Amino acid sequence: MDKNTPIIISLGGSLVVPNGGMDTKFLSQFNEFIRLKIAEKWRFFIVVGGGATARHYIDAAKNITGDITDWYLDYLGIHATRLNAHLIRTIFQDVAHPRIIQNYEHKLNNLEQPLVVAAGWKPGRSTDYDAVLLARDYTAEVIINMSNIPQVYDKDPNKHKGAKPLDKISWADFELLVGDKWSPGSNLPFDPIATKLAKKLGLIVYVIGRDIKNLDRLLTNKDFIGTLISP
Ligand code: UTP
């Protein structure tokens, strides 16, 4: 991969907060790895998801009220992404831009830092969409989507036993897989609203799991496990 353009990492919240507690082991490895790469002159934008925190708050609000609009649920999710983004920003405080991107209309100019942290913005989409906005606005060529889903499958592996992992897929086929409906806290390899925009912009997205060595192999053009989504 080319280190002359920034790499956008959509860091699934499930890797930060898998289920209630923070995954400090993963975060320590991630911290070490990103610093190593920064020393080699790579630049990153890291947009952080809401993880189990988002889902717990969304489920609690649904259970208590019985009936609540998606707009409110998404806002709970957005706040969870902000909390997680603050954790990532704190970990990288000496190398990251002091501001967390939370309003994507305010573009950062003359960036000096090798790392920028971003969080959720508006209801109706996930941080995958925000990663697409970053790729568009900061002329990145590639988005790496890290989450607890290591690859895209040809069918939902939770529902179909024979689902097969895919090494690559076109945006048109991927769109058929994820559909076009948004639902708060949904757990898809790349969200449908983000998919629409990424397809329109002709972006390249790599869906990979949580393995840092695998991330390194992807960055350094070696064999990796994941799915390439491209035009
Ligand atoms: P994400 O869906 O991005 O976090 O945001 P996640 O599930 O941890 O990430 P992945 O799927 O593993 O990559 C959590 C929730 O916050 C709201 C949505 O409800 C989303 O499901 N959100 C997030 C928004 O409404 N707008 C945003 O821009 C970002």
Side-chain angles (χ1 to χ4, degrees):
M1 249 176 225
D2 179 10
K3 58 172 127 168
N4 293 316
T5 59
I7 304 287
I8 314 288
I9 298 183
S10 176
L11 183 64
S14 55
L15 304 188
V16 181
V17 193
N19 194 16
M22 267 80 74
D23 189 342
T24 49
K25 191 171 164 221
F26 170 80
L27 289 170
S28 298
Q29 287 174 357
F30 187 70
N31 179 29
E32 209 175 293
F33 177 76
I34 294 293
R35 284 174 186 278
L36 218 87
K37 290 292 156 190
I38 286 174
E40 293 173 5
K41 301 275 180 261
W42 292 82
R43 287 175 297 135
F44 299 95
F45 284 76
I46 301 175
V47 53
V48 193
T53 312
R55 259 153 228 119
H56 287 156
Y57 274 79
I58 287 171
D59 289 346
K62 273 189 201 160
N63 288 342
I64 295 162
T65 60
D67 179 29
I68 186 135
T69 63
D70 283 359
W71 189 91
Y72 279 107
L73 300 177
D74 281 336
Y75 260 111
L76 287 174
I78 289 169
H79 282 282
T81 70
R82 288 180 179 166
L83 182 58
N84 288 339
H86 272 279
L87 178 60
I88 300 297
R89 227 298 292 160
T90 302
I91 291 169
F92 291 108
Q93 35 75 31
D94 54 323
V95 284
H97 191 278
R99 269 179 53 192
I100 292 173
I101 300 182
Q102 308 191 38
N103 178 342
Y104 288 70
E105 268 160 14
H106 294 166
K107 215 181 142 191
L108 301 175
N109 294 314
N110 308 320
L111 263 177
E112 283 165 16
Q113 293 81 358
L115 174 62
V116 181
V117 180
W121 182 27
K122 286 183 180 174
R125 73 286 285 268
S126 80
T127 44
D128 296 338
Y129 183 87
D130 305 320
V132 175
L133 294 182
L134 292 176
R136 183 194 67 190
D137 294 347
Y138 297 91
T139 53
E141 284 168 6
V142 167
I143 295 174
I144 300 176
N145 188 77
M146 288 185 83
S147 76
N148 57 1
I149 302 173
Q151 280 189 285
V152 175
Y153 282 75
D154 60 351
K155 300 183 201 90
D156 184 345
N158 297 317
K159 292 183 193 148
H160 304 273
K161 255 197 178 161
K164 289 192 188 67
L166 304 169
D167 291 334
K168 56 182 180 191
I169 185 168
S170 68
W171 281 117
D173 289 342
F174 187 75
E175 210 169 26
L176 295 174
L177 269 184
V178 293
D180 59 1
K181 274 227 183 77
W182 169 249
S183 89
S186 74
N187 200 11
L188 291 165
F190 210 67
D191 96 51
I193 313 302
T195 295
K196 241 185 226 144
L197 184 59
K199 183 184 174 201
K200 193 171 142 205
L201 297 173
L203 290 182
I204 287 176
V205 173
Y206 290 96
V207 172
I208 63 169
R210 46 178 300 133
D211 182 357
I212 304 278
K213 286 203 183 106
N214 193 44
L215 169 62
D216 193 26
R217 285 196 291 272
L218 170 59
L219 286 179
T220 52
N221 303 320
K222 300 195 182 96
D223 280 350
F224 69 97
I225 295 170
T227 304
L228 162 66
I229 318 176
S230 63

